Amino acid sequence: WLKERRITEVELLVPDMAGIARGKILPTSKFLAGLDNDTLRLPESVFGQMVTGADADTEALTYQAPDMILAPDADTICVVPWYREPTAQVVCDCVDRSGKPVPVAPRQILKNILARYAEKSWRPVIAPELEFFLSQKNIDPDYPLLPPAGKSGRPQTGRQAYSIDAVNEFDPLFEDVYDYCEAQEIGIDSLIHEEGVAQVEINFYHGDPLELADQVFLFKRTVRQAALRHDIYATFMAKPYEQEPGSAMHLHQSIVDARTGRNVFATRGGKDTRQFMAYIGGLQRFLPAAMPLIAPYVNSYRRLVRFLSAPVNTHWGHENRTVGLRIPESEAKNRRIENRVPGADANPYLAIAGSLACGYLGMTQNLAPTKPMEGNAYDSMRYQLPRHLLDALSRFRNSQDLRELLGEGFVDLYSDVKASEHDAYQQVISPWE
């Protein structure tokens, strides 16, 4: 594959706790040699790094920072389309010297959850919807972001939800995004202008959760690179603009019987099954404790406020976008749940793993959901989700069900990383203050 494309360099990508691509870049010959002699290595400490790049205050990792061996997943190798020099990228798993997976790696966390489903002969299906904002280059981060100018030369000044002309303002950029995604076999579908100023949503085709997590991981990098080519920024912050809606990563999810291929959420006659209701019950009970996986930063909780297109509760309803768990209108084979709580800033591996973990607990514990919400959940329901990161971390650390499912070591390390990021935030005096 490398020879056919005359690849000269290979980028080895490891998603860290934040979903940032860590790794190394090697000449092709050295990459191939490293596959044979296990010399493709990276320190385990990358999983103890904060989003700032600094090391977290944690005892969940040893100070010796032993090397992990990188195990490239051949299914993920693709050309990096924005480089002039023929370059490939490949997503890697991490193993120790005995060949065992590193248990705290985010990609491995998702694999572990999928293995739990496989033991029950269940196969999850995921379809993410990812929102993001475009902005002018903001070299000094003390200044607020500003909407960029498109082909007209004039920045947007108001919300243009679903506007075709507003999207067309940035046609050259989105043409690059689609071309780049095609080159990487990233399966993106529809493109719409969202409610915010210069806010866009792109939907992915439904499929295997690990493949979709890989695609979202690569897609974020792709959009940022395409935007830079047009001298603007793209941001997946949950709440980059005041008085504007935030950016979400809505997760449509269903479960298929691996033996029959049938969607277990609906009967042949189209009625909701007991497993469907139990899955909703699991999301309702455990999402508040899983919040650090789907709302990982201080800024994440600025998105989760009333009347700005984001949920504040775990209620569910049919075709209701004011609740956290929406059931879209569908035929039986496409019966699914849309989890509207995760933010665009979340690590896709951990957001998908967290959502699937909650549903799994609901199905295995046969939990019952509340009655479906009728009407506007903003008016009638109090906040049920954590309001800030420290509250979320406390619930996460103390959830025995999630600790057992995700792994004690991962929960402790991830919580320490997030707590350290909060400590770093506490040291910053913002322009508002």
Side-chain angles (χ1 to χ4, degrees):
W1 188 94
L2 294 167
K3 188 179 290 186
E4 285 174 1
R5 290 157 182 79
R6 299 181 179 180
I7 300 296
T8 59
E9 288 185 331
V10 180
E11 295 182 340
L12 308 182
L13 309 181
V14 175
D16 71 356
M17 292 300 188
I20 293 172
R22 308 288 179 184
K24 54 177 59 178
I25 305 170
L26 297 173
T28 301
S29 58
K30 191 164 184 179
F31 165 71
L32 292 172
L35 288 175
D36 292 331
N37 56 26
D38 287 341
T39 56
L40 305 177
R41 298 174 184 172
L42 204 64
E44 188 182 56
S45 57
V46 297
F47 297 127
Q49 284 183 266
M50 296 187 284
V51 69
T52 61
D55 291 332
D57 181 12
T58 181
E59 296 181 359
L61 292 177
T62 63
Y63 285 106
Q64 292 89 341
D67 276 346
M68 309 175 293
I69 297 171
L70 304 185
D73 184 339
D75 290 337
T76 67
I77 195 166
C78 58
V79 172
V80 185
W82 51 83
Y83 292 146
R84 291 182 179 178
E85 194 72 20
T87 304
Q89 63 186 358
V90 61
V91 182
C92 298
D93 288 312
C94 301
V95 299
D96 62 22
R97 294 181 183 276
S98 66
K100 293 181 179 178
V102 173
V104 297
R107 198 169 190 262
Q108 187 60 43
I109 296 299
L110 177 53
K111 282 187 164 187
N112 293 344
I113 296 297
L114 295 178
R116 292 291 192 115
Y117 274 89
E119 290 171 1
K120 302 287 187 181
S121 295
W122 294 331
R123 180 168 55 82
V125 178
I126 291 287
E129 298 174 345
L130 193 59
E131 298 168 348
F132 57 94
F133 278 91
L134 302 174
S135 76
Q136 294 181 29
K137 277 191 170 181
N138 124 295
I139 307 303
D140 187 340
D142 272 347
Y143 289 97
L145 296 180
L146 295 172
K151 291 190 295 186
S152 69
R154 178 181 295 172
Q156 288 182 23
T157 56
R159 298 181 187 176
Q160 298 291 338
Y162 305 107
S163 168
I164 299 298
D165 291 338
V167 170
N168 288 341
E169 281 281 289
F170 301 99
D171 263 352
L173 187 158
F174 293 124
E175 286 171 5
D176 282 347
V177 169
Y178 273 92
D179 288 344
Y180 288 172
C181 286
E182 184 177 359
Q184 298 170 90
E185 298 184 359
I186 296 174
I188 57 174
D189 188 7
S190 56
L191 163 71
I192 64 168
H193 196 291
E194 262 295 346
E195 290 187 37
V197 175
Q199 186 187 27
V200 179
E201 176 184 278
I202 286 193
N203 298 339
F204 290 73
Y205 296 121
H206 66 272
D208 175 76
L210 184 63
E211 291 180 13
L212 266 300
D214 287 335
Q215 289 187 28
V216 174
F217 170 59
L218 296 176
F219 177 80
K220 287 185 174 183
R221 191 169 182 240
T222 297
V223 171
R224 293 190 186 102
Q225 291 294 330
L228 286 174
R229 185 176 181 182
H230 295 271
D231 206 35
I232 60 178
Y233 285 164
T235 177
F236 294 90
M237 277 182 69
K239 188 78 167 182
Y241 290 100
E242 294 180 12
Q243 309 305 321
E244 294 290 335
S247 289
M249 179 167 53
H250 298 152
L251 296 175
H252 291 254
Q253 49 210 291
S254 57
I255 308 298
V256 170
D257 187 315
R259 295 162 296 193
T260 65
R262 185 179 62 82
N263 186 340
V264 305
F265 282 173
T267 66
R268 297 187 190 280
K271 294 186 179 299
D272 297 335
T273 63
R274 178 184 59 79
Q275 290 169 313
F276 176 73
M277 304 305 287
Y279 195 99
I280 295 173
L283 287 168
Q284 287 190 306
R285 177 174 296 185
F286 293 105
L287 266 182
M291 281 294 284
L293 303 177
I294 58 180
Y297 305 108
V298 170
N299 180 261
S300 306
Y301 298 83
R302 302 191 191 282
R303 167 183 159 257
L304 301 171
V305 296
R306 282 187 167 98
F307 309 116
L308 279 176
S309 301
V312 297
N313 54 60
T314 60
H315 279 262
W316 70 284
H318 296 275
E319 287 297 349
N320 188 338
R321 284 183 165 84
T322 67
V323 297
L325 306 169
R326 168 178 168 260
I327 312 304
E329 185 74 25
S330 68
E331 55 188 341
K333 68 177 182 180
N334 295 323
R335 188 65 42 80
R336 63 194 185 276
I337 301 163
E338 179 191 19
N339 183 355
R340 297 176 57 79
V341 182
D345 54 349
N347 179 328
Y349 299 96
L350 298 181
I352 293 173
S355 194
L356 290 176
C358 294
Y360 176 88
L361 289 169
M363 293 173 75
T364 55
Q365 297 180 14
N366 196 24
L367 300 180
T370 61
K371 292 181 179 180
M373 168 60 61
E374 304 287 345
N376 189 340
Y378 293 137
D379 290 337
S380 58
M381 300 308 302
R382 61 183 174 81
Y383 277 83
Q384 294 173 312
L385 299 172
R387 301 295 303 276
H388 55 79
L389 182 59
L390 290 184
D391 180 20
L393 284 174
S394 176
R395 299 190 198 198
F396 185 58
R397 284 188 191 271
N398 293 315
S399 173
Q400 291 304 314
D401 290 281
L402 289 177
R403 292 184 77 89
E404 188 277 328
L405 203 54
L406 299 172
E408 297 269 354
F410 168 76
V411 171
D412 288 339
L413 175 58
Y414 186 78
S415 299
D416 288 346
V417 170
K418 293 298 148 187
S420 296
E421 289 174 353
H422 187 273
D423 289 346
Y425 161 76
Q426 290 290 83
Q427 299 175 39
V428 175
I429 308 301
S430 71
W432 185 88
E433 292 173 283

